[in-house]
Amino acid sequence: MVVSYPYLPKNREIKYVPEDNEFMAKSMEFARQHNTVKHIGAAVIVKEGRVIGYGSIGASVHAKQGGCIREKMNVPTGTQYELCEGCDSKYHSEADAIRDAKENGKDTRGADLYLWGHWWLCEPCWNAIIEAGIRDVYLLKNSEILFNKENPKNVIGRQFE
């Protein structure tokens, strides 16, 4: 099946792994433990078989402000990100994991990123990934169904049931 992503940089591809993949499972567990929003997501960066960075969407900011301002205002998903600092792309799971790795003195060049809870990556996240020298990006198999709000078979809001 060919997936039509809203954004994918030239010469990049998304790879898929099953739910029982060790690193996808770590990303999912990190999402379970650290997310404060409905649209849950988390990323882990892996190098030489070890996780070197963890990140979840806006968790640090959302925790400080008591949750997502957009959710509190019932703002439709995918709109008005400027209302909530935690929803800014610099706090997306991918950027957060890159920041975590670098703050802990880890070199992200040649590493892989496993992203749970999303079916595509936005342009700012791809730019951060490319700038960090991350080699491959992995999503959960069937994520284009599971985490796509437009798909009637999505699991958004019941990811951990």
Side-chain angles (χ1 to χ4, degrees), residues 6-107:
Y7 179 78
L8 184 67
K10 188 176 179 177
N11 300 321
R12 295 301 292 229
E13 67 176 319
I14 293 174
K15 298 181 178 186
Y16 293 90
V17 294
E19 189 173 347
D20 64 357
N21 174 278
E22 171 187 3
F23 301 116
M24 190 58 68
K26 287 180 188 234
S27 183
M28 182 180 83
E29 187 55 32
F30 193 78
R32 182 191 318 266
Q33 293 176 7
H34 294 33
N35 273 277
T36 56
V37 294
K38 288 180 195 171
H39 199 110
I40 297 168
V44 297
I45 297 175
V46 177
K47 188 168 183 179
E48 298 172 354
R50 296 185 5 216
V51 176
I52 63 168
Y54 289 90
S56 65
I57 187 163
S60 60
V61 176
H62 290 138
K64 288 178 193 170
Q65 62 189 28
C68 175
I69 293 167
R70 290 173 54 250
E71 283 183 1
K72 289 178 181 182
M73 295 173 63
N74 292 316
V75 172
T77 306
T79 65
Q80 297 182 300
Y81 289 112
E82 69 281 359
L83 297 176
C84 179
E85 183 182 5
C87 294
D88 188 283
S89 62
K90 67 183 172 190
Y91 295 111
H92 286 185
S93 302
E94 304 91 323
D96 200 36
I98 292 167
R99 187 171 32 261
D100 180 55
K102 290 184 176 186
E103 286 175 356
N104 288 296
K106 304 298 182 184
D107 181 4

Side-chain angles (χ1 to χ4, degrees), residues 119-132:
W119 71 278
W120 67 284
L121 292 75
C122 67
E123 184 174 359
C125 286
W126 270 114
N127 291 341
I129 287 166
I130 292 166
E131 184 178 315

